């Protein structure tokens, strides 16, 4: 039996692999967090757990949170005129959101999900060649037991 967050993370990795089959991720889609310096050899993708806490209003509901990181290739040569067009990672963010809306398999542990944050962190040269998406799911809290009373 796998944890809800593991099931969510694994499903998101599969969605990225299917939706972005045209992108040659270095090392494939990685089941973990990406190191900030990656990207010189090509695009990278990592999917990692953030937390899995009960909701504030209903402790019977657990909310697993997963971080999806997509790093586009960057050129580490510093040239003052070198500007990176962020439209590639902006398009990746849109594609990912459409894919989870259309393709995410609902399960007993993850009822539905949503993207709660889309960020464009700087690459090592200060350019916008990356995107991170925070994905949150709601499902039953495994630590709560109904008494039947």
């Amino acid at each position: 039996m796998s944890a809800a967050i593991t099931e969510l993370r694994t499903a998101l990795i599969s969605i990225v692999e299917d939706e972005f089959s045209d992108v040659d991720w270095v090392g494939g889609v990685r089941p973990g967090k990406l190191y900030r310096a990656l990207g010189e050899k090509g695009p990278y993708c990592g999917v990692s757990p953030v937390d899995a806490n009960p909701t504030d209003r209903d402790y019977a509901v657990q909310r697993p949170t997963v971080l999806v990181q997509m790093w586009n290739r960057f050129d580490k040569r510093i040239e003052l005129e070198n500007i990176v067009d962020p439209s590639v990672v902006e398009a990746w963010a849109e594609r990912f959101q459409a894919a989870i809306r259309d393709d995410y398999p609902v399960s007993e542990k993850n009822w539905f999900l949503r993207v709660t944050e889309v960020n464009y962190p700087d690459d090592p040269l200060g350019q916008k060649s990356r995107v991170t998406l925070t994905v949150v799911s709601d499902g039953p809290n495994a630590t709560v037991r109904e008494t039947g009373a």
Side-chain angles (χ1 to χ4, degrees):
M1 174 161 72
S2 65
I5 196 163
T6 304
E7 184 179 284
L8 174 61
R9 190 175 46 76
T10 302
L12 293 175
I13 288 170
S14 294
I15 288 171
V16 171
E17 289 171 341
D18 292 345
E19 175 62 29
F20 294 89
S21 61
D22 60 317
V23 178
D24 188 18
W25 303 112
V26 176
V29 179
R30 297 169 182 228
K33 194 168 180 181
L34 297 179
Y35 182 62
R36 187 178 183 281
L38 293 174
E40 183 186 359
K41 295 179 180 176
Y44 285 80
C45 183
V47 182
S48 59
V50 176
D51 58 36
N53 299 312
T55 64
D56 291 335
R57 286 197 259 163
D58 185 356
Y59 275 86
V61 177
Q62 184 170 336
R63 186 165 283 159
T65 304
V66 171
L67 180 67
V68 178
Q69 299 170 291
M70 297 178 178
W71 287 182
N72 199 6
R73 185 186 181 284
F74 74 91
D75 187 347
K76 75 175 188 175
R77 292 175 294 159
I78 298 174
E79 295 180 21
L80 297 178
E81 298 297 321
N82 188 10
I83 302 294
V84 173
D85 181 0
S87 64
V88 172
V89 292
E90 292 166 344
W92 286 355
E94 288 299 313
R95 283 175 63 185
F96 177 79
Q97 290 178 86
I100 64 169
R101 180 189 64 231
D102 298 338
D103 300 331
Y104 182 73
V106 176
S107 72
E108 289 181 14
K109 294 181 183 176
N110 292 288
W111 302 325
F112 65 92
L113 59 90
R114 62 211 168 275
V115 174
T116 59
E117 288 184 45
V118 178
N119 295 300
Y120 299 93
D122 292 345
D123 66 23
L125 298 179
Q127 297 293 320
K128 299 295 184 181
S129 66
R130 1 188 110 190
V131 62
T132 63
L133 301 104
T134 303
V135 181
V136 174
S137 173
D138 283 345
N141 185 345
T143 64
V144 174
R145 186 173 91 186
E146 291 191 34
T147 61

